[in-house]
Amino acid sequence: MTGPEIDRLIQLLARLPGLGPRSARRAALHLLKRREALMLPLAEALSLAATRVGDCGLCGNLDTSDPCAICADPARDKSLICVVEEVADLWALERAGVFRGRYHVLGGTLSALDGIGPDDLRIGPLVARAGADEVREVILATGATVDGQTTAHYVTDRLKASGVEVSRLAHGVPVGGELDYLDDGTLATALKARRPF
Amino acid sequence: MTGPEIDRLIQLLARLPGLGPRSARRAALHLLKRREALMLPLAEALSLAATRVGDCGLCGNLDTSDPCAICADPARDKSLICVVEEVADLWALERAGVFRGRYHVLGGTLSALDGIGPDDLRIGPLVARAGADEVREVILATGATVDGQTTAHYVTDRLKASGVEVSRLAHGVPVGGELDYLDDGTLATALKARRPF
């Protein structure tokens, strides 16, 4: 139908999350209409990010520098480590701007189904970091899913020897949430973890 | 939050149709995890398509050759020209594989609201093409929208002098469509254009 260049572009765009074959075609046409303004800058941004951005050797965050900007920031509280599953979770916490410590990205969750064991995650480096004198508390911010909580329990066990304090995010009714729409699990957790008003 | 390279990548990805800021972040992370397999090939495909693909001087289709593969195909019926609004419409007809003539891409529709007049579309070149001896029929395949039909009427007027036959796509009940879900306009058109069974 079209030349191999356009076909290949559509195929690659269709592999992005959120784009299917139809929206990839639409995106390709959108790009071809804006060659100078969007298409070439995007090509450049992609290859630049692909070559320059790497994993932070300390926390696993993505950045152009190693250690990353967060680990290297002297204003960050070195006594707090927040453990997250993925870089996306780290970004979410940074957008909220509510945490001033440092992070540790596990790179996923333990999952028997997908064959992901402790050695596939960055748990060993976390235990090593938590053993340092300056670290006082490790906050587990893995997801409130079965896999996320299994991982949190496993990490807690592994951290016991280091004697560091381990906490996890509170579970309960999300701010702005209506009780009517919440699932039984969330309601039960919120009730059990009720606090004096 | 992240380095300028990642921020710029997310900004550019968010300008693709179908992607917003959140899905652009997801796409950027997806790409950064698949640098060799997806990110660099996509960067290359983008710059390759941006430099090699151009408009066909004859019909306005996008292709690496000028005239495009369809215009240059000797097996295509030169006596038929199908007029479409955009390259996406041409692609849709080619995917259906039901038309063996050649195309003419207008590049949009007349629109008083958006200030798009006849000189902004490829109507002049269409009139010139229709004047050639070999062209027998021009099929108007603009959308069944107000702007699409206005454009079709205007193009018909402009083509009168050339004496070429002008037709348009049939309007009616879409194949697989249930009457219950159709709008009044489509039902009225389908009833008026009824045919012997």
Side-chain angles (χ1 to χ4, degrees):
Chain A
M1 166 180 85
T2 54
E5 286 85 359
I6 302 180
D7 280 347
R8 176 149 175 76
L9 177 61
I10 294 173
Q11 267 172 29
L12 289 169
L13 284 171
R15 285 171 56 192
L16 291 181
L19 290 185
R22 184 177 288 267
S23 42
R25 280 198 298 270
R26 235 177 99 216
L29 278 173
H30 185 90
L31 285 162
L32 282 164
K33 275 192 181 175
R34 292 156 187 82
R35 259 164 258 196
E36 298 301 321
L38 184 55
M39 199 169 183
L40 290 172
L42 180 58
E44 209 186 294
L46 279 166
S47 62
L48 203 72
T51 47
R52 291 226 191 130
V53 175
D55 292 355
C56 169
L58 211 56
C59 75
N61 186 16
L62 288 166
D63 205 345
T64 41
S65 56
D66 183 8
C68 71
I70 294 174
C71 285
D73 186 349
R76 288 267 177 174
D77 188 348
K78 284 182 165 40
S79 70
L80 282 174
I81 295 179
C82 181
V83 178
V84 292
E85 293 175 13
E86 299 283 357
V87 175
D89 306 325
L90 186 160
W91 288 3
L93 280 162
E94 282 300 289
R95 274 200 306 280
V98 289
F99 181 65
R100 295 301 303 166
R102 298 199 289 175
Y103 293 94
H104 192 88
V105 181
L106 292 178
T109 54
L110 296 175
S111 169
L113 223 61
D114 298 329
I116 298 174
D119 295 337
D120 301 314
L121 304 178
R122 297 166 42 81
I123 294 178
L126 172 64
V127 174
R129 282 182 75 187
D133 283 343
E134 59 193 15
V135 176
R136 189 173 47 80
E137 182 180 353
V138 171
I139 304 167
L140 299 175
T142 52
T145 57
V146 172
D147 283 346
Q149 292 306 301
T150 309
T151 310
H153 281 293
Y154 179 82
V155 170
T156 311
D157 278 351
R158 288 281 301 270
L159 287 174
K160 256 180 195 149
S162 66
V164 78
E165 196 181 324
V166 179
S167 59
R168 70 160 171 82
L169 293 189
H171 295 163
V173 181
V175 176
E178 295 193 48
L179 291 197
D180 200 13
Y181 292 95
L182 282 177
D183 60 297
D184 298 351
T186 303
L187 281 176
T189 311
L191 197 64
K192 230 161 75 182
R194 66 187 179 279
R195 304 181 57 176
F197 191 64
Chain B
M1 165 180 87
T2 54
E5 287 84 0
I6 302 182
D7 280 348
R8 175 147 175 78
L9 177 62
I10 293 173
Q11 266 172 30
L12 289 168
L13 284 171
R15 286 172 54 193
L16 291 180
L19 290 185
R22 183 176 289 267
S23 44
R25 280 198 297 270
R26 235 178 99 217
L29 278 173
H30 184 90
L31 285 162
L32 283 164
K33 275 192 180 175
R34 291 158 187 82
R35 259 164 258 197
E36 299 300 322
L38 184 55
M39 200 168 182
L40 289 172
L42 180 58
E44 209 186 294
L46 280 167
S47 62
L48 202 73
T51 47
R52 291 225 191 132
V53 175
D55 292 355
C56 170
L58 212 54
C59 75
N61 186 16
L62 288 166
D63 205 345
T64 40
S65 56
D66 183 10
C68 72
I70 293 175
C71 285
D73 186 350
R76 289 266 178 174
D77 188 347
K78 283 182 166 41
S79 69
L80 282 174
I81 295 179
C82 181
V83 178
V84 292
E85 292 175 13
E86 298 284 357
V87 175
D89 306 324
L90 186 160
W91 287 3
L93 280 162
E94 282 299 289
R95 275 200 304 282
V98 288
F99 180 64
R100 294 301 301 167
R102 298 199 287 176
Y103 293 93
H104 193 87
V105 180
L106 291 177
T109 53
L110 297 174
S111 169
L113 223 61
D114 298 328
I116 298 174
D119 295 337
D120 301 314
L121 304 178
R122 298 168 41 81
I123 294 178
L126 172 64
V127 174
R129 280 181 77 188
D133 284 344
E134 57 193 16
V135 177
R136 189 172 47 79
E137 182 178 354
V138 171
I139 304 167
L140 300 175
T142 52
T145 58
V146 172
D147 283 347
Q149 292 306 300
T150 309
T151 311
H153 280 293
Y154 178 83
V155 169
T156 311
D157 277 351
R158 288 282 299 271
L159 286 173
K160 255 180 195 152
S162 65
V164 78
E165 195 180 324
V166 180
S167 58
R168 69 161 173 80
L169 294 188
H171 295 162
V173 182
V175 176
E178 294 193 49
L179 290 198
D180 200 13
Y181 293 95
L182 283 176
D183 60 297
D184 298 351
T186 303
L187 282 176
T189 311
L191 197 64
K192 230 160 80 184
R194 67 188 177 280
R195 304 181 57 176
F197 193 65

